[in-house]
Structure formats: C-alpha cells, structure tokens
Amino acid sequence: MKDFSEVSPLRILESSAYKGLGKGNLGVLIARAGGGKTSCLIHIAFDELFRGENVVHVSLKDAPEKVASYYSVIFSDLVKVLDIENESEVRARLDKRRIILAYLRQSFDLTRLRESLTNLVREADFIPGTLIVDGIDFGETGRDVFEGFKEIAKEFDLEAWFSALSHRHIAEVNERGIPFPCNKVDDLFSLIFQLYATQSGIFFRFLKDHDSELIPDAVVRLDPNNFLVVE
Amino acid sequence: MLDDIQNLRNIGISAHIDSGKTTLTERILYYTERIFAIHEVKGKDGVGATMDSMELERERGITISSAATYCEWKGHKINIIDTPGHVDFTIEVERALRVLDSSILVICAVGGVQSQTITVDRQMNRYKVPRIAFINKCDRAGADPYRAVRQLRQKLQHNTILMQLPIGLEGDFSGVIDLVSMKAVYFEGPFGEDLKEGEIPPWLLDEALAKREEMLDAASMFSDELMEAILDGSVREELIHQAVRRGTISRGLTPVFIGSAYKNIGVQPVLDAVTNYLPSPAEVKNSALDIDQGEKEVLLSSDPRDPLVALAFKLEITPYGQLTYLRIYQGSISKGDYLVNTRDRKRIKVGRLIRMHADEIEDISRAEAGDIVALFGVNCVSGDTFTDGRLNYTMISIFVPEPVISLSISSNDNKSEVNMAKALNRFTREDPTFRSRVDEESGQTIISGMGELHLEIYVERMKREFGAEVSTGVPQVAYRETISQRAEFNYTHKKQTGGAGQYGQVAGFIEPLEDGNYEFINEVRGGVIPSEFIPAVDKGFQSCLRRGLLIGFPVRGMRVTVNDGQYHAVDSSERAFVQAAIGAFKQAYLKAKPAILEPIMRVTVECPSEFQGNVMSSINQRRGLIMSAAEDGVFTTVEAEVPLEEMFGYATTLRSLTQGKGEFTMEFSRYARVPESLEEDLKVRYKERQKRGEV
C-alpha cells in the first residue's frame, strides 16, 4: 500500500514553514461551485484518518447518509490509487475514527456543536483531532461564528477545516490578497488555500500560510477525476 | 390486452408504525366499494380494520402479515399490499416491495419522518420503487405537514413536490387545495364520500399561487412541453399530470398529498394520484434468470401472450387451506392450466384462481401479466417461480436476511407437542426468516428469527391459533465462527475391522473467504481421488460447517481447496471420503486461527436533542460505534452499529433515558469479530456446557 501523503492535496504543506495547520487553528479552502471543495475537504479528512486522528465531519447541508456515501466513493478511488489490499479492514478501521454530525434545516448553532462534541468526548470516549466543516455560507455567516469555531478548536484541542464558496461575479480581494468570501475573516484562519482550474488542469495553492511569507511557486496539480495530486 | 395492463397498479402502503396506514387502506377499500362499512384499527365495535386479518394483529393494533387486496378506481385495477410497520417483520416488507411496482409512503403529520420511515425508505430504494407520499393525521394537535415535507427532503433526500395545501390544520383541518386544478376540495357526507369543489379561500390564495409555481418549476424539469407552456402561459392540467408522472416513475420526484384518513379527508385524491402518477406493471423493468443459459439475466415482457413467469411471494394458511399468492410477471394463468414449479419441475393444476380481499375470496377465471392472484392447495415454498413449462426461468431470489436471534422452545404436554410441530411447519413455510431446528445434542427445538418481537409473535400465535402450550428459553444471539488464516490438511481415513474396509485420503488447504460464503475448489489432478468421490469430500466439509469447533456455532467464510489425495480400489467409498473430509476439517480448523463472530445491528435512535448525550452514552456502554448524529430542529437521530448481544432490553433502557420520548429501530448489518475477552468467556461457557453434557 502506498502512503496517502504522496497523493494528498495537503502535500502542498511540504513547502510550508509549519508543515501543518496545528491544533487550535482554523484552515479554509476556497473554490467556485463544482470546483471540488467537498472532495478536497474529504481528502483532508482522509489525510488525518490515515495518520490515526479522529475526525468529526460537520455537515450543514447534507444528511449523514449522503456524507458517508461521499467518503465511501472517495475511499474506493483511494483503494485503486494507493493499492490497498485489505480494503474492508482498512475501511472499517477508518470508519471507526469518523463521526458525522449533521445539522439540517438551519438547525446549526455553536452551542449545539459544543454540546455534541462534549457528548462525544464524555459519553462516547471519542476524542476528535480534526473538525471538517462543510456547507457554511461564508458570505452570510457573521464573524462571531468563526470566532466561536476558533474557541472550540482551542477548547477541544483540534484542527478545524472549512470550505468556502467563491463567486465569479464577486471579485472583492482584501489588501492581503484574500478574495471574497474570506476577505473579512482571514485573520482568524491560519491556512487559506485556493482550488482553481485553468486550461492545464486543477491546482491547489496557498493564499495564506500562518504568518510566513508565501512561496510563490508552492502549487500542486490535482487530477480532475479524483482531486488527488498528480506528479 | 396490453391496454388492460396500462390500467393496472400494484401498490404497497408502507410507513412507520401507527402512522395510520391500515386506516388509509380501510378508507381506500370503502371508497372503491370493496367494503361497505368502516371499522377502526382499534375500533370499539370489536371488528377491526379489514386488512388486519389475524386476531393478534387486531388486538395489538398493528399489522403483521401482508394481506393482498384488490380494488377498482375510475377504470383502474389496483392491487394493494398492506405491509407491516414493525422492523422485526421487514421480510414481509421486503417481499411486498419485490412484487410491487410502486408505493404510498404514509407519514404522520405530527411525528414526521421517524426511524421506521427511514428503514422502509431504504428498502424501497433497494428495490427502486417509485412512490408518492401521503401526510396523514393533519387533524391532530401538533400536525405540521410542511415539517414532514422538509424532513422527506433532508432525511430521505426525496425531491418532494407539494400537490396540495391544507385548508386549516389540527382541529380546523377541513379540506385541501388542489394545486393542479387550483380548486379547494372538501369531503362531505358521513364518510367523506361526497367531494365538493369550491374556490380557494382568499387568505390562502397567495400561498397557493406560490406553491403552485414551485410545483410547476419542479415538474417542468421532467417535461420540455410543460416548460414551454409555463413560458407562454398555456399550462394545461394534462401537461402537469404527464410531467409529474414522468418524474415520479423515474424516482426524480415524490408528489406529496395531504389529509387525514381517520377524518375521511384527502383519500380520494391519493387514489387519483395512484392512477395518474404511479407506473403500470408494463412500465417497470423486471428480470428473471434463465437456468438453461447458466442463469443469464433475461428481461420479462409483461405481455400476456408470452410464456408464463410467476413468483410465489407469500404463503398464507387460511381456514380453507394453504393459499399461495402469485405475482404474474409475463403470460397469463387460467383456471384449469398446468403450472410447473422451476425448483422441482413438478406440475400442478390450477384448481381455483382467486383474488383476495383481506379475509374474503373472489373466484376469477383468468389473470394476466402484472396481476397479483392467489391459488389454493399448491405445495410450494415462498420464493418459488412458476412457468407454464415452456421456459426454465427463476425470478431473482428475494433478499432474505439471516436470522440473528434464537430461542429454545418446548411443549408443555403431548397434545401441545403435536400442535407445536404443526405450527412450526406452517410458520417456516410462510416466513423464510423464521427457522426451526432440533439441536442434535440437546434434543431441544430451537426457533430463530429477526428480533425479539418477531419470535414473540410466533410463540403467541402457537398458543392462540394452534392451541400449543409452550415454554421458551432465554433469547440467544446467533454467533458464527470463521477462520482467519490459511491452514493445510492431509488426512487419511482408514478403517479395517473385518469385512469391507474404509479408505480415503484428502490433502489441500482451507482459507478465509471475505464474503462470508462457503466455496469448494477441486484441484485434484490425475485422478488421485476419483471424480465420483469429489462430491463426498465437499459434503464432508459442508457437514462440518454446521457446528464449529470453538463454541459449536455455524462456520462462515471459508474456502476449501482439495489438491491431492489417495484412494483404494476396494476400500474407498463415498462414506470413507465424507469421513476423510471431516477428519481433514478437524485437523486444519484450529490451525486456521478460528474466531467467533457476532451479529452487528444498525441501530437508529431518535430522541429530543436534549437527550443526545444519554443516548450516546447508552450506545457506548453497549460496545456500540456511533456513526452519526443528525439534528433537525429539536430532534436528533443517532445512527450507530451495536452488537445484538448488547441490545436486549434496550427499549426499556431508552424509555427511561429519554423520559419515554426516544425510540429506536434496528436491522442486521454484518457479522464482526467479538472482542477477545468475550471470546474467552464464550469458549469457557461452551466447555462448561460440554462438561454438563448439554452439547
């Protein structure tokens, strides 16, 4: 079996000064609709799962069954790419480390999330190392919510990854080069990535790497079929 | 003839227990003039609803056995199967879904999409059943049909479209607004049989217009013609019906209807929807396996002129004798015809051909492709395929879940013993998930099934219907054994005690098989074991699978490869090779690192969110694995995998943990290895029972 880190979009962190997001910090990847946000976010989840971390996937739009099916489909891709032999054993091992929390019909609030995480830690002996948050509308969500997430990340000592949807018709970029919809909350995020497509392929690049200077050519190219790194 | 099939519907009515589906069926039968009085499920008149045919069902107010019934509505023939709502009886639901072409999903306007609805919906997806939804009980306090619709979208991912709006709710619920005709519909007369159309109440007009637009938008995705008509303002009702029908049949849309069966509101429009939007048998693809072509999948035509293919999907014992329900997929059956059972090639003559109306019988002379009928006195088992002898087809077997729980049962006196045997014989023919066997060592009769309630109901029926006084033991989990590594064998069975001797040698290896099945591979070359003895070797290994050597439970997931051996020209026999295989199994089994497996259940718990922590804790204490928690307003649905062993008595625990507000369903998910501590414990208990001579 090959190592997941070879094909993970997070391989881009090899060129980062910090090599990772770090507990208590928030990270976000920005892309347009259909740009592969959920796939990349789940790859980040797999990156953590393969490292032995527990992952809580928070979904604000899809029911757990749908989220689980995303994981299942992506895992099937990984079986081929990584030459996983004992598929069902590995699948069972990773499934044990993942719990999906879904908040349907605008039922999400930070208090409920904090309560659910507390329940998981206290009642189910499940200590999350990473939070994957999919489906938050950055344009409509107040700064206080992200501040709340930052507190949760510190309180539970975990990394939290988000996806943000950018729009072709909104070209706002702040003075630090961070585009809409993250331009007003970028100070709360330690890592910001952008997923973008050009004629020569799909790319994953840094927009922010903690407090370090960006390395201009730190880009990885992704396979448009499975959003994994291609050489 | 083919025109007839276009006007035929085979529908199921599925839902969470207590959503009122039996009441809905009862009203349908009343409006279609199959019955002439209405009885309630738990009616005070002691008669009970027509579809609950068994005494026990009437008493408990739940439906256990699916009774098929037939009715007619506006020139359409409708076969209805009333399906059970409790998850322990899912085989009934599975069998119904196998033979039905579409379904009405009944949802309680108060309770919304509940855990059982989720299970039933998952089953319907497995069989690709198109459905319409009926939001029932809109007259009850707390009714919120809009919440139910949102839950259909979010919990079940249905692309719902509201076809109606309620006029008033709870105590004020008085009728519906039809968003296609844009009329208010009221249901008058003592039993709501007189439909009166009127203008939409002015205070609901804006909402009706907005909802109609939403409905048209969704429907137009399935019809370019409707889309164009919307753009040029020439929408006709017929165009809407066509588009919604297309969307529904492709399972891209779920039209939603609103009413209260109990208050006689909104049932007739559901019948119209059954005829307008649900598919005829000719619009559903069905396939069979052609045995003569190595079980190649073949599409069936639904043409009554083609050779017959029919499936016996349900057996029922009635006071008149055994009744076999058949779904005809292709061809036709007439009284006096001869049918051939594909399984044993036996020919039977069709004496009486009947349609069932719950407990009542209607004799008919002929039935065609698409229809559901019943025959008397046919000796077969549930799942058998019948043809007219021209084809050698078998319908793809109905998915039968493995029993997960067993119980020892004994009769209290001689008369009861005879009656118990009769009852067991009937139940095992009727229900493939209910099994009965006599334990070789202890001599005890063991029954097994899908859950505690499943077995409880059969024990009750033995007492009531068969007069068998029986006592039962403690429920036992159906453990399995398996092997976890390859191990070689080379065993010689040799016996020389005067007269003809016995000689057989087999060599090869056993190895784990992930899919849980048993496989036998013959790699013997050069005739070192003559080919006529190979089946005996296979038989010998298979006989060992019934009882593993760790704790005496069946062995699953093993491949046997035999690649060498020896025989003796005089002393070798089938019996000798069976014995050689048994010896070889014993030799290799313990070397192959055997392990004990336990059934893992997929458990869905629904409770008010404030109890989420309690529920998670109860699952964790039961060695459960929480997979997800979904919050929807004030409710949380926790999905988990929990070993069945730990689920006994969970209903009581959950009630006390959630102040009676939580409920759960479970179904078998898979087998998994038991933890080492439990494995040791089970082994010790088995050894103790061996010492006491119980096994």
Side-chain angles (χ1 to χ4, degrees):
Chain A
M1 181 179 150
K2 285 185 209 157
D3 200 78
F4 181 70
S5 58
E6 310 239 325
V7 292
S8 165
L10 287 188
R11 205 176 131 181
I12 195 168
L13 292 172
E14 283 173 6
S15 43
S16 152
Y18 290 81
K19 310 290 179 205
L21 177 57
K23 304 282 183 190
N25 292 332
L26 312 184
V28 58
L29 52 100
I30 307 172
R32 287 196 182 141
K37 284 185 304 298
T38 301
S39 293
C40 276
L41 214 47
I42 291 177
H43 283 144
I44 292 174
F46 272 113
D47 199 300
E48 303 294 340
L49 290 168
F50 276 112
R51 286 174 212 269
E53 291 276 7
N54 284 343
V55 169
V56 171
H57 184 114
V58 179
S59 169
L60 274 69
K61 51 176 187 171
D62 294 320
E65 220 161 30
K66 198 162 176 185
V67 178
S69 73
Y70 285 144
Y71 274 85
S72 179
V73 169
I74 287 176
F75 182 75
S76 300
D77 284 342
L78 294 180
V79 168
K80 287 178 222 146
V81 175
L82 302 178
D83 291 331
I84 298 175
E85 280 169 16
N86 43 350
E87 182 183 340
S88 55
E89 199 183 298
V90 176
R91 191 189 284 266
R93 181 159 45 91
L94 300 187
D95 280 355
K96 270 187 194 171
R97 294 195 197 125
R98 183 201 72 216
I99 286 179
I100 300 162
L101 295 179
Y103 296 89
L104 306 174
R105 199 159 58 92
Q106 280 91 48
S107 60
F108 176 77
D109 72 62
L110 286 169
T111 319
R112 289 297 311 142
L113 175 66
R114 186 176 267 115
E115 265 175 44
S116 292
L117 290 174
T118 309
N119 285 336
L120 287 177
V121 173
R122 284 200 197 143
E123 312 294 352
D125 301 327
F126 188 90
I127 316 288
T130 301
L131 205 60
I132 299 285
V133 186
D134 196 17
I136 276 204
D137 185 342
F138 270 62
E140 295 291 316
T141 305
R143 185 180 171 84
D144 56 325
V145 173
F146 295 105
E147 284 169 347
F149 270 113
K150 183 101 178 153
E151 279 169 25
I152 285 178
K154 289 212 166 90
E155 188 182 327
F156 289 88
D157 194 28
L158 47 78
E159 298 181 352
W161 286 94
F162 298 75
S163 63
L165 176 66
S166 61
H167 298 283
R168 192 183 294 269
H169 60 280
I170 306 177
E172 281 175 48
V173 177
N174 67 14
E175 62 278 16
R176 294 175 293 278
I178 306 297
F180 176 87
C182 300
N183 49 341
K184 295 195 176 126
V185 286
D186 58 323
D187 56 311
L188 297 172
F189 288 83
S190 304
L191 287 176
I192 301 177
F193 294 108
Q194 190 177 35
L195 199 59
Y196 63 101
T198 67
Q199 278 182 336
S200 49
I202 290 181
F203 297 90
F204 196 60
R205 68 165 180 185
F206 276 115
L207 293 180
K208 180 178 178 183
D209 178 12
H210 297 268
D211 46 8
S212 324
E213 283 284 306
L214 285 182
I215 301 166
D217 58 351
V219 170
V220 290
R221 190 156 75 92
L222 304 181
D223 182 331
N225 296 312
N226 57 21
F227 295 96
L228 292 169
V229 172
V230 280
E231 289 302 328
Chain B
M1 297 247 191
L2 276 173
D3 291 345
D4 286 351
I5 202 172
Q6 303 296 345
N7 293 333
L8 179 61
R9 301 286 180 271
N10 291 317
I11 62 164
I13 300 181
S14 310
H16 191 91
I17 193 163
D18 243 9
S19 293
K21 59 188 180 301
T22 305
T23 308
L24 174 66
T25 313
E26 191 74 356
R27 296 303 188 273
I28 289 176
L29 296 179
Y30 180 76
Y31 298 129
T32 56
E33 297 178 355
R34 304 303 298 184
I35 57 169
F36 300 98
I38 284 175
H39 309 288
E40 299 315 326
V41 179
K42 290 173 190 165
K44 289 178 190 142
D45 55 8
V47 182
T50 306
M51 290 292 282
D52 285 327
S53 53
M54 271 188 277
E55 187 194 342
L56 192 61
E57 294 183 10
R58 286 182 196 191
E59 193 174 285
R60 296 197 175 194
I62 57 170
T63 315
I64 301 162
S65 248
S66 331
T69 195
Y70 169 85
C71 61
E72 289 175 6
W73 181 253
K74 296 185 180 171
H76 286 76
K77 299 191 283 181
I78 304 173
N79 287 306
I80 306 171
I81 293 222
D82 188 30
T83 47
H86 195 281
V87 78
D88 275 2
F89 304 108
T90 47
I91 187 65
E92 296 278 348
V93 183
E94 300 261 1
R95 281 194 293 192
L97 295 177
R98 176 71 176 83
V99 298
L100 290 172
D101 302 318
S102 56
S103 188
I104 305 174
L105 187 61
V106 185
I107 290 157
C108 172
V110 183
V113 171
Q114 292 158 289
S115 49
Q116 175 68 31
T117 322
I118 298 171
T119 310
V120 170
D121 200 70
R122 209 180 282 146
Q123 288 163 336
M124 287 208 226
N125 283 336
R126 188 148 66 217
Y127 290 101
K128 301 189 170 72
V129 179
R131 52 257 199 203
I132 57 175
F134 178 62
I135 317 261
N136 196 17
K137 300 193 181 183
C138 286
D139 60 310
R140 295 278 182 94
D144 185 352
Y146 300 107
R147 186 188 56 195
V149 171
R150 282 193 298 265
Q151 290 177 337
L152 269 170
R153 278 186 169 269
Q154 290 185 313
K155 286 192 176 177
L156 306 178
Q157 284 92 49
H158 279 254
N159 186 17
T160 49
I161 45 167
L162 264 177
M163 303 303 291
Q164 299 171 331
L165 284 188
I167 302 177
L169 272 177
E170 303 180 337
D172 300 328
F173 183 52
S174 58
V176 295
I177 295 168
D178 180 341
L179 296 175
V180 178
S181 68
M182 287 303 271
K183 295 271 184 211
V185 186
Y186 300 98
F187 303 80
E188 295 178 356
F191 296 109
E193 56 268 59
D194 300 327
L195 266 66
K196 291 272 183 298
E197 284 194 348
E199 293 306 313
I200 296 173
W203 64 91
L204 287 172
L205 192 59
D206 284 348
E207 194 187 351
L209 285 167
K211 292 289 178 194
R212 177 181 158 93
E213 206 174 310
E214 276 178 27
M215 183 267 288
L216 288 177
D217 262 0
S220 65
M221 301 308 288
F222 298 88
S223 160
D224 292 342
E225 231 180 322
L226 178 63
M227 198 175 273
E228 280 166 26
I230 294 170
L231 292 175
D232 58 29
S234 60
V235 176
R236 284 174 291 127
E237 285 186 22
E238 191 196 327
L239 280 182
I240 304 176
H241 289 317
Q242 280 170 1
V244 175
R245 177 180 181 76
R246 211 170 290 156
T248 310
I249 293 176
S250 67
R251 295 190 302 131
L253 278 185
T254 304
V256 181
F257 298 83
I258 281 166
S260 161
Y262 182 71
K263 292 280 180 189
N264 307 314
I265 300 174
V267 176
Q268 295 94 327
V270 172
L271 275 167
D272 288 340
V274 166
T275 59
N276 282 336
Y277 305 140
L278 294 180
S280 81
E283 290 165 292
V284 176
K285 276 186 190 159
N286 285 299
S287 55
L289 302 175
D290 186 349
I291 296 173
D292 293 340
Q293 292 191 64
E295 300 210 346
K296 190 181 155 201
E297 195 172 328
V298 277
L299 268 186
L300 298 174
S301 71
S302 74
D303 188 331
R305 292 162 299 195
D306 281 344
L308 172 78
V309 180
L311 173 73
F313 66 94
K314 179 158 178 67
L315 307 183
E316 222 172 47
I317 309 296
T318 70
Y320 317 101
Q322 184 180 297
L323 205 56
T324 304
Y325 287 86
L326 283 184
R327 154 87 197 238
I328 307 172
Y329 284 92
Q330 175 176 298
S332 66
I333 300 178
S334 294
K335 208 173 148 180
D337 278 358
Y338 282 92
L339 306 182
V340 177
N341 185 338
T342 302
R343 182 172 50 85
D344 54 15
R345 305 300 297 163
K346 278 192 183 148
R347 251 160 66 103
I348 54 146
K349 191 178 177 184
V350 178
R352 282 174 77 186
L353 189 63
I354 57 168
R355 274 209 180 101
M356 280 302 290
H357 164 207
D359 270 352
E360 290 148 33
I361 286 167
E362 180 197 346
D363 275 277
I364 52 171
S365 57
R366 181 183 155 87
E368 295 183 344
D371 222 337
I372 289 175
V373 290
L375 305 179
F376 262 124
V378 176
N379 193 12
C380 70
V381 295
S382 187
D384 277 354
T385 302
F386 286 93
T387 66
D388 53 13
R390 285 186 281 171
L391 296 173
N392 194 15
Y393 285 3
T394 179
M395 296 299 300
I396 298 148
S397 68
I398 295 176
F399 169 76
V400 179
E402 265 189 272
V404 289
I405 179 172
S406 61
L407 202 61
S408 69
I409 183 166
S410 56
S411 51
N412 297 351
D413 52 52
N414 281 347
K415 192 179 157 219
S416 293
E417 192 173 333
V418 175
N419 291 344
M420 184 178 95
K422 274 189 199 165
L424 290 177
N425 188 25
R426 280 191 185 182
F427 298 158
T428 46
R429 275 167 171 266
E430 280 177 27
D431 179 355
T433 57
F434 178 81
R435 295 181 198 170
S436 152
R437 68 182 173 89
V438 175
D439 189 76
E440 282 169 31
E441 271 81 7
S442 65
Q444 276 182 320
T445 302
I446 310 286
I447 55 173
S448 32
M450 300 314 298
E452 275 175 294
L453 184 61
H454 187 209
L455 295 184
E456 250 173 50
I457 293 281
Y458 279 116
V459 171
E460 282 282 314
R461 283 185 62 190
M462 271 183 215
K463 291 178 185 166
R464 284 163 187 251
E465 291 171 36
F466 293 83
E469 283 307 316
V470 293
S471 313
T472 54
V474 183
Q476 286 278 325
V477 166
Y479 291 107
R480 292 287 182 269
E481 296 186 20
T482 193
I483 53 171
S484 41
Q485 69 179 33
R486 177 181 151 136
E488 314 272 334
F489 57 81
N490 187 345
Y491 187 83
T492 309
H493 175 71
K494 199 170 173 185
K495 232 175 186 178
Q496 204 70 49
T497 47
Q502 284 186 38
Y503 184 89
Q505 186 198 351
V506 289
F509 55 92
I510 58 175
E511 62 188 329
L513 199 57
E514 214 173 72
D515 61 11
N517 291 325
Y518 163 79
E519 221 176 273
F520 178 82
I521 294 178
N522 172 21
E523 281 183 1
V524 172
R525 300 283 174 264
V528 290
I529 301 175
S531 56
E532 68 261 36
F533 294 137
I534 296 293
V537 178
D538 184 9
K539 198 173 147 191
F541 277 106
Q542 286 205 43
S543 72
C544 298
L545 300 179
R546 288 198 286 269
R547 183 173 283 272
L549 301 176
L550 281 186
I551 54 164
F553 276 87
V555 179
R556 73 197 298 276
M558 185 173 90
R559 181 190 283 132
V560 177
T561 305
V562 176
N563 53 23
D564 203 1
Q566 220 172 24
Y567 77 106
H568 185 276
V570 179
D571 290 346
S572 282
S573 62
E574 271 185 29
R575 197 169 145 213
F577 274 101
V578 168
Q579 289 304 321
I582 293 173
F585 174 80
K586 286 182 179 163
Q587 189 186 57
Y589 190 68
L590 293 176
K591 287 192 289 182
K593 275 203 173 168
I596 302 169
L597 305 174
E598 62 181 339
I600 305 290
M601 309 303 282
R602 185 172 179 156
V603 178
T604 306
V605 187
E606 200 173 65
C607 63
S609 298
E610 64 205 87
F611 301 115
Q612 189 198 60
N614 290 356
V615 168
M616 284 183 173
S617 160
S618 70
I619 287 170
N620 196 38
Q621 283 163 9
R622 285 172 169 69
R623 295 194 282 124
L625 178 68
I626 295 162
M627 297 187 300
S628 68
E631 300 205 12
D632 178 11
V634 293
F635 268 86
T636 291
T637 306
V638 178
E639 292 241 21
E641 286 195 335
V642 189
L644 176 66
E645 163 95 42
E646 307 286 340
M647 289 303 290
F648 292 126
Y650 189 62
T652 317
T653 311
L654 185 64
R655 263 198 300 276
S656 70
L657 285 178
T658 60
Q659 297 169 6
K661 291 175 189 157
E663 57 174 54
F664 82 102
T665 58
M666 61 176 181
E667 59 179 341
F668 173 73
S669 166
R670 63 197 166 85
Y671 274 101
R673 244 189 115 152
V674 299
E676 268 174 39
S677 57
L678 180 61
E679 187 163 316
E680 283 314 309
D681 193 34
L682 287 168
K683 282 189 208 164
V684 169
R685 273 193 266 164
Y686 182 64
K687 276 185 190 144
E688 282 168 3
R689 288 179 66 206
Q690 272 180 322
K691 268 188 209 160
R692 291 198 299 268
E694 289 172 8
V695 289

